[in-house]
Amino acid sequence: MGSTGFSWTLPDHPKLPKGKPVAVVVLDGWGEANPDEYNCIHVAQTPVMDSLKNGAPEKWRLVKAHGTAVGLPSDDDMGNSEVGHNALGAGRIFAQGAKLVDQALASGKIYEGDGFNYIKESFENGTLHLIGLLSDGGVHSRLDQLQLLLKGASERGAKRIRVHILTDGRDVLDGSSVGFVETLENDLLQLQEKGIDARIASGGGRMYVTMDRYENDWDVVKRGWDAQVLGEAPYKFKSALEAVKTLRAEPSANDQYLPPFVIVDDSGSAVGPVLDGDAVVTINFRADRMVMLAKALEYADFDKFDRVRVPKIRYAGMLQYDGELKLPSRYLVSPPEIERTSGEYLVKNGIRTFACSETVKFGHVTFFWNGNRSGYFDETKEEYVEIPSDSGITFNVAPKMKALQIAEKARDAILSGKFDQVRVNLPNGDMVGHTGDIEATVVACKAADEAVKIILDAVEQVGGIYLVTADHGNAEDMVKRNKSGKPLLDKSGGIQILTSHTLQPVPVAIGGPGLHPGVKFRTDIQTPGLANVAATVMNLHGFEAPADYEPTLIEVADN
């Protein structure tokens, strides 16, 4: 890098001094919504965030964290932690996962690339297996993309297709799995009428089968491997529709946690195990919950669980899920190439950087922040600390998570004087919000607020500056609503819990004793988003941002 005609040297900001340590705090899943009993941030005791919001209006504002503001196809698309941290770190808006896949499918480019040509070699004598989340939630995958891929592959020679479904209930309504399965089975029936052997082969709920992340619980991936690859599961059914309806009828069953099942023929044999010579595509475009399965499918040297049988396959991801690990090595759609991130610029301009979170969000303040890139830019100037997340329990069981430990690590880094930037992610609002447990999410929000206090107290001690923001909404609205904003009720009269992210804006707050007294938020940016934060942070360090970055949120009033 560096030989491409631009300079890595950032110009000094004409009005802002250098040298003050800057703390960047990302509250995960912390949006801004109307106050009511389902807004856990409002219900929780959050005196620190309340004081930032109400104490200095010119130093608090809202920005967009969803849709086109973070590179997603439309403003109906919820933001997520990956695209949010990409935007926060990159300072520019890049077409993201879903949009890249949409473009590749619409243009037909997906069928011309190396990845598709590679799996196509299995079409003559093998089976094409498609594994992924069956949902129209648009966070990890989309049903219409699966439908187009089925059509495109069958038109290009796939004679035998098996789909391994993961039911959602997290980014979409619980219970919607039944309708999605009906739609898919109808599509596969139409392919069968054209002489293509196309069937659903296995399934299970996303949080119990396959879609673990950050190596939190390999048993989740193993349950998927056993069903998808080996054709073995505790439940066997003749059709996926029968499977989902039957398993959902169990007490306290929900789509996220359906147990693994396989579809069997009349003799009781699984209809779609993965065999030598087959092709496998993981259809999710979002990386975090596909990396572990990708490792199991691709790595010859693998010790996380006993795979029992490792078929010789041609495997491709919908995208490459980890650019540094080059995983998977084959993929259908190229990821956004995010170069010249703010993190790299700042390190190359001498900014010593500390980043910390717990396991479930550690990649967000490192890998995603740095443009989908693992590792350090300069290990002499950077330190990344990962605190192990709880495993084997759902996050509502221990909703404080590791917020206190993250805050203490950040505090120590700030007080050490060794770092110019300390950035953290506090995952509580998002991870506990996803469980749908309102009481636990209130506890989670209080814990995150307490963590912010520890960090801001340290900033105060060293005369530093803070910027507190979020990556997307979640905890601020825990109920599904009708068009007039009233909570939706289920058949028994209970409220319908919202477990997904939201379309709400998120806060950006600045302050600290080191902040130049003339700094305030600009009022001339019409619809600022998360990408505007990078230039802002660069300014707080005393630098001007590169010209092609989204404009800074701040200006300096002449005193």
Side-chain angles (χ1 to χ4, degrees):
M1 301 188 80
S3 61
T4 49
F6 57 84
S7 168
W8 283 104
T9 305
L10 291 171
D12 291 348
H13 192 284
K15 295 181 179 177
L16 292 174
K18 282 187 189 168
K20 302 290 185 185
V22 178
V24 181
V25 181
V26 181
L27 291 159
D28 215 292
W30 191 286
E32 179 84 359
N34 292 331
D36 68 10
E37 64 196 293
Y38 308 114
N39 179 337
C40 293
I41 296 167
H42 166 69
V43 174
Q45 290 180 308
T46 56
V48 179
M49 291 302 292
D50 291 348
S51 71
L52 297 186
K53 180 178 179 179
N54 303 320
E58 72 283 2
K59 293 186 172 63
W60 166 282
R61 70 161 309 156
L62 299 176
V63 298
K64 279 180 66 176
H66 75 286
T68 55
V70 289
L72 296 169
S74 82
D75 283 340
D76 294 328
D77 291 313
M78 292 176 285
N80 65 57
S81 300
E82 288 68 36
V83 301
H85 285 78
N86 273 174
L88 285 166
R92 290 148 292 155
I93 301 166
F94 288 83
Q96 285 289 346
K99 202 172 191 176
L100 293 168
V101 175
D102 287 343
Q103 291 167 351
L105 284 164
S107 66
K109 252 182 150 172
I110 195 169
Y111 305 116
E112 297 161 11
D114 294 342
F116 190 81
N117 285 327
Y118 176 65
I119 62 162
K120 194 176 172 185
E121 292 173 41
S122 294
F123 289 0
E124 184 64 33
N125 300 309
T127 301
L128 170 62
H129 299 264
L130 303 175
I131 304 174
L133 187 66
L134 185 67
S135 166
D136 64 4
V139 176
H140 292 269
S141 65
R142 275 213 329 267
L143 175 61
D144 61 326
Q145 293 178 349
L146 171 61
Q147 292 171 308
L148 287 169
L149 192 58
L150 282 166
K151 181 175 183 289
S154 62
E155 288 170 351
R156 288 163 179 81
K159 299 173 183 172
R160 195 165 186 274
I161 302 174
R162 293 293 181 266
V163 186
H164 303 265
I165 64 170
L166 301 167
T167 52
D168 191 348
R170 185 174 172 101
D171 301 321
V172 293
L173 267 177
D174 184 48
S176 56
S177 57
V178 175
F180 292 134
V181 170
E182 286 175 331
T183 299
L184 179 57
E185 288 199 331
N186 185 52
D187 288 350
L188 297 174
L189 195 61
Q190 291 177 28
L191 290 177
Q192 290 165 23
E193 289 166 358
K194 294 176 181 171
I196 292 158
D197 178 6
R199 300 191 60 174
I200 296 175
S202 76
R206 58 177 283 179
M207 296 303 287
Y208 192 66
V209 178
T210 299
M211 280 175 61
D212 189 49
R213 66 174 172 191
Y214 304 140
E215 306 201 4
N216 213 40
D217 186 354
W218 277 101
D219 286 344
V220 174
V221 184
K222 184 183 190 306
R223 285 189 279 269
W225 180 274
D226 291 350
Q228 297 147 3
V229 178
L230 306 182
E232 295 172 4
Y235 295 92
K236 297 177 170 64
F237 295 95
K238 289 294 181 65
S239 82
L241 192 58
E242 179 198 0
V244 173
K245 284 183 171 177
T246 304
L247 294 172
R248 277 196 55 79
E250 294 291 316
S252 75
N254 64 55
D255 287 348
Q256 292 191 57
Y257 287 93
L258 289 186
F261 61 85
V262 293
I263 308 306
V264 296
D265 59 21
D266 291 339
S267 69
S269 300
V271 301
V274 180
L275 304 172
D276 286 351
D278 287 354
V280 175
V281 174
T282 44
I283 62 164
N284 289 19
F285 46 73
R286 179 163 153 184
D288 59 345
R289 293 191 183 274
M290 280 288 115
V291 166
M292 293 167 72
L293 174 59
K295 288 178 178 177
L297 289 168
E298 182 142 313
Y299 287 175
D301 185 18
F302 179 87
D303 62 358
K304 301 303 182 182
F305 59 82
D306 182 3
R307 292 181 289 186
V308 182
R309 179 173 62 79
V310 185
K312 295 182 177 69
I313 58 169
R314 288 185 168 85
Y315 166 52
M318 183 67 96
L319 289 100
Q320 187 167 62
Y321 300 129
D322 188 325
E324 189 72 11
L325 294 175
K326 302 286 185 272
L327 185 76
S329 55
R330 315 271 184 157
Y331 42 91
L332 303 189
V333 180
S334 295
E337 294 177 9
I338 304 180
E339 69 334 347
R340 299 190 300 111
T341 60
S342 63
E344 185 167 13
Y345 265 115
L346 288 168
V347 166
K348 290 190 174 179
N349 283 271
I351 297 300
R352 301 161 302 166
T353 303
F354 177 89
C356 176
S357 189
E358 61 176 280
T359 305
V360 289
K361 297 290 181 177
F362 175 68
H364 295 82
V365 282
T366 55
F367 176 82
F368 292 107
W369 192 280
N370 290 334
N372 306 331
R373 179 191 185 283
S374 295
Y376 295 109
F377 295 114
D378 181 347
E379 48 191 58
T380 68
K381 294 192 181 74
E382 294 174 278
E383 184 180 340
Y384 298 163
V385 173
E386 175 184 352
I387 295 166
S389 287
D390 294 321
S391 61
I393 59 169
T394 52
F395 289 105
N396 57 324
V397 175
K400 293 182 181 180
M401 298 181 65
K402 306 300 177 190
L404 180 64
Q405 293 92 319
I406 295 166
E408 288 172 343
K409 290 285 186 193
R411 175 199 65 200
D412 294 347
I414 292 165
L415 297 181
S416 75
K418 290 195 290 189
F419 300 101
D420 305 295
Q421 183 182 110
V422 172
R423 69 175 177 260
V424 300
N425 178 298
L426 298 168
N428 307 60
D430 189 47
M431 299 308 297
V432 185
H434 276 311
T435 69
D437 184 331
I438 290 178
E439 284 183 29
T441 306
V442 170
V443 174
C445 293
K446 182 174 187 281
D449 191 76
E450 289 167 350
V452 174
K453 182 179 191 320
I454 292 169
I455 296 167
L456 298 198
D457 283 351
V459 169
E460 188 75 27
Q461 278 190 60
V462 299
I465 301 169
Y466 62 76
L467 182 146
V468 181
T469 187
D471 55 348
H472 56 75
N474 184 333
E476 79 286 355
D477 197 6
M478 299 287 290
V479 66
K480 292 190 174 288
R481 299 178 187 273
N482 62 21
K483 285 181 179 169
S484 63
K486 296 279 191 297
L488 287 171
L489 304 180
D490 59 26
K491 287 173 185 168
S492 60
I495 59 162
Q496 289 191 24
I497 292 292
L498 184 71
T499 56
S500 70
H501 299 165
T502 69
L503 302 175
Q504 299 292 349
V506 300
V508 180
I510 54 172
L515 186 67
H516 185 288
V519 168
K520 61 178 185 174
F521 280 125
R522 294 165 60 174
T523 56
D524 60 339
I525 302 175
Q526 293 303 310
T527 52
L530 290 178
N532 297 86
V533 169
T536 310
V537 171
M538 286 171 152
N539 289 175
L540 296 177
H541 281 292
F543 295 109
E544 287 278 12
D548 62 338
Y549 270 43
E550 292 294 309
T552 179
L553 295 169
I554 59 176
E555 61 186 1
V556 185
D558 290 316
N559 289 341

